[in-house]
Amino acid sequence: MSTGSSDLIIVGAGIVGLAHAFEALANGLSVTVVERDRRPVGASVRNFGHCCIGAQQGELLDIAQLSRAGWLRAGAAAGIWAKEAGALVVARSETEAAVLEELRAERGADVVQLRNAAETAEALGRTEPGDLVGGAFLPADLRVNPREAAPALARWIAEQPGARILWGTAVTGVEPGTVHTTRGPVHGDQVLVCVGHDLDYLFPEAAEEHGIQRCRLNMARVEAPAAFRTDSAVLTATSMLRYDAFTAQPSAARLRAEVSAHSPELLEIGANVMFTGLPDGTLLVGDSHHYEDTTPPFLDERVSELLLDAVAGVLGVERLRVLERWQGVYANSSRGPLLVRDLAPGVRALSVTSGVGMTLSFGLAARTFAGTLKATA
Ligand SMILES: Cc1cc2nc3c(=O)[nH]c(=O)nc-3n(C[C@H](O)[C@H](O)[C@H](O)COP(=O)(O)OP(=O)(O)OC[C@H]3O[C@@H](n4cnc5c(N)ncnc54)[C@H](O)[C@@H]3O)c2cc1C
C-alpha cells in the first residue's frame, strides 16, 4: 500500500463516489478512491441508466439539473454513452393523461410535451394505439448505459494525474485523515464515504438515525419487440405514483385510486413499471420495491412475472423473451432523499436514500465542491 497522501479519499466506486472523484479532479484536487470490489457491481450498474430529471420536484430537481450538465461533461471526457433521449410517459387512461396535462400546465409546454395516442403508439412500436390515450415527452432526461458508465468513468479517473483507485480494498474504519483498509491505512486531508446502502456496516448509528433500509428491486433484460423504436426511457402510471413531480398534481390521488382498483397486485409489489433500451437493442425492464434491513437472496418469480406482463401490456405484445434477471439494492429512507452526515472533522458520509442516485450523482458532486451541499438533519 502506497503511503502517499491525497487531498481527498473517497470510499466506494459507485456512481456517487466516482462523480465526486471526477469533480474533485476538475477542482484540482488529488483523489484516492478505495473500493472493496474489483470493479463497480453495486446499484450503479444494476439500474435503468435513467437520469430522471423531469419527474423531480423542488430541491431534487435543482440537483438533477446540475447533474445533467455533469453527466454530459463526464460523458465527453471519459467517452461515456450519455444520450439526451428524454423520457416518454405513457398514458393509458384519462386520469393518467390528466396528471400529465397538469404537469404541463405547471412546467410549460417545452418541458412537458404532450403526445397523442398515435404518436405514443408509434414510439413504442405498436401497430395500433389500443388502450393508449396519449403521453408526455420529458426532453431533459438523459440515458446512460448503467453497465458501462461507472466502469468507464473509473477507468478514466484512474488514468488522470493525481488520481488512483484502490480496487479489492475494503475499508474497515475511518478517522480524520486516515482510512483503515484491509491492505493498511490510506491517508488524506478529507474523507468522503459513498458506500450507499452499506453505510450501516461502517457507521451503523448514522445509518440508523437516518432510518436507512435496503430497498431490493427485481429487474430483467429482455429482447425488444422488432418494431420498438424510441430511445427515450419509458415510464407508466405506476411511475407517476412514485415521482414527486407527478404525485404533486391534483389528479394524483385519483390516479392512485384508479391503479389500486385495476392493478392492486402492482401496488402490492411497489411496482414502477418502466423500461429503457441498451445500445445493443435489448431492454432493461422493471421494477419492484421491497424494504428490509437485510436483503433476502431469493428472487420471487411471481414479482418478475407481474412486471414482465405489465411491460408487455405497455408494448402491446403477448410476452417478452427474458435474457437476464437480477436483483438490485439501494439505500432508502422515509426520513429524506439524502443522507449527508459530518461524522468527524473532515469525514463526511453521503448516501442517496431515494433511488435516484444515477440522476443526482453529478449534481451532488458539483454542490459538494461548491460548498453548498449542507448536512441533512
Ligand atoms: C434496480 C435499480 C434501478 C434503479 N434505477 C435508477 C434509475 O433509473 N435512475 C436513478 O437515478 N437511480 C436509479 N437507481 C438508484 C441508483 O442506482 C443508486 O441510487 C445509485 O447507484 C447509488 O450509487 P452509490 O454510488 O451510492 O452506490 P453503489 O453503486 O452501490 O456503490 C457503493 C460502492 O461502495 C462500495 N463499498 C461499500 N462498502 C465498502 C467498504 N467498506 N469499503 C470499500 N468499498 C465499499 C461497494 O462495493 C460499491 O461499489 C436504481 C437502483 C436500482 C438498484
Side-chain angles (χ1 to χ4, degrees):
M1 172 74 60
S2 157
T3 52
S5 180
S6 300
D7 296 321
L8 176 65
I9 301 171
I10 294 173
V11 185
I15 198 61
V16 174
L18 293 171
H20 278 80
F22 179 82
E23 292 294 349
L25 291 169
N27 281 272
L29 302 178
S30 58
V31 61
T32 298
V33 179
V34 187
E35 166 59 49
R36 67 183 174 194
D37 264 302
R38 262 78 181 170
R39 59 194 161 91
V41 288
S44 303
V45 300
R46 301 181 192 203
N47 59 54
F48 290 101
H50 174 213
C51 299
C52 176
I53 293 155
Q56 306 304 323
Q57 181 91 331
E59 197 191 2
L60 292 196
L61 177 60
D62 295 341
I63 299 173
Q65 282 167 336
L66 204 53
S67 200
R68 184 180 199 280
W71 267 111
L72 293 175
R73 264 187 295 117
I80 297 168
W81 183 82
K83 190 150 189 177
E84 298 181 79
L88 176 68
V89 192
V90 174
R92 296 161 82 196
S93 78
E94 294 301 336
T95 311
E96 294 170 27
V99 172
L100 298 178
E101 277 160 25
E102 288 159 3
L103 185 62
R104 198 260 314 243
E106 179 194 302
R107 299 256 171 115
D110 290 345
V111 177
V112 180
Q113 301 173 8
L114 296 183
R115 297 284 188 258
N116 63 32
E119 290 164 337
T120 306
E122 194 190 348
L124 294 172
R126 288 175 61 152
T127 45
E128 295 291 333
D131 61 355
L132 296 173
V133 170
F137 178 63
L138 309 180
D141 287 23
L142 290 182
R143 289 202 28 243
V144 299
N145 180 347
R147 292 159 184 231
E148 290 297 329
L153 185 56
R155 277 194 300 276
W156 182 86
I157 287 166
E159 287 167 0
Q160 304 310 304
R164 61 178 181 165
I165 302 187
L166 306 176
W167 299 106
T169 305
V171 170
T172 53
V174 179
E175 60 182 283
T178 303
V179 165
H180 298 281
T181 82
T182 43
R183 296 181 195 270
V186 179
H187 301 290
D189 295 345
Q190 306 278 324
V191 182
L192 192 59
V193 179
C194 302
V195 294
H197 53 273
D198 286 339
L199 188 69
D200 60 347
Y201 295 157
L202 275 177
F203 295 102
E205 283 160 10
E208 277 160 21
E209 278 164 23
H210 192 70
I212 288 192
Q213 284 198 306
R214 287 176 171 75
C215 175
R216 65 183 157 92
L217 305 86
N218 282 34
M219 295 284 287
R221 186 168 70 90
V222 303
E223 275 182 0
F228 181 77
R229 47 170 299 187
T230 184
D231 276 338
S232 309
V234 178
L235 307 182
T236 69
T238 48
S239 319
M240 289 191 237
L241 296 178
R242 299 194 70 87
Y243 293 115
D244 289 351
F246 305 113
T247 59
Q249 301 309 319
S251 295
R254 191 153 50 94
L255 176 59
R256 179 165 292 280
E258 188 176 281
V259 176
S260 164
H262 66 63
S263 304
E265 67 288 352
L266 290 181
L267 293 187
E268 221 173 83
I269 63 166
N272 171 5
V273 177
M274 63 169 286
F275 46 99
T276 56
L278 286 178
D280 69 1
T282 60
L283 299 180
L284 300 174
V285 309
D287 58 15
S288 53
H289 295 78
H290 292 93
Y291 305 94
E292 286 123 323
D293 293 330
T294 297
T295 304
F298 311 109
L299 281 178
D300 184 343
E301 188 59 17
R302 182 181 150 268
V303 171
S304 298
E305 278 173 8
L306 282 171
L307 292 169
L308 289 164
D309 285 351
V311 171
V314 176
L315 287 166
V317 297
E318 275 293 304
R319 69 169 58 85
L320 293 161
R321 181 160 173 266
V322 177
L323 303 170
E324 292 174 333
R325 295 179 202 271
W326 65 97
Q327 175 171 258
V329 180
Y330 67 66
N332 190 73
S333 170
S334 56
R335 294 184 200 160
L338 299 173
L339 175 147
V340 184
R341 180 67 68 94
D342 293 318
L343 300 161
V347 180
R348 172 170 271 201
L350 170 52
S351 288
V352 177
T353 52
S354 50
V356 285
M358 288 295 271
T359 304
L360 302 182
S361 48
F362 283 92
L364 292 170
R367 283 202 171 182
T368 290
F369 295 104
T372 54
L373 187 65
K374 301 292 172 223
T376 48

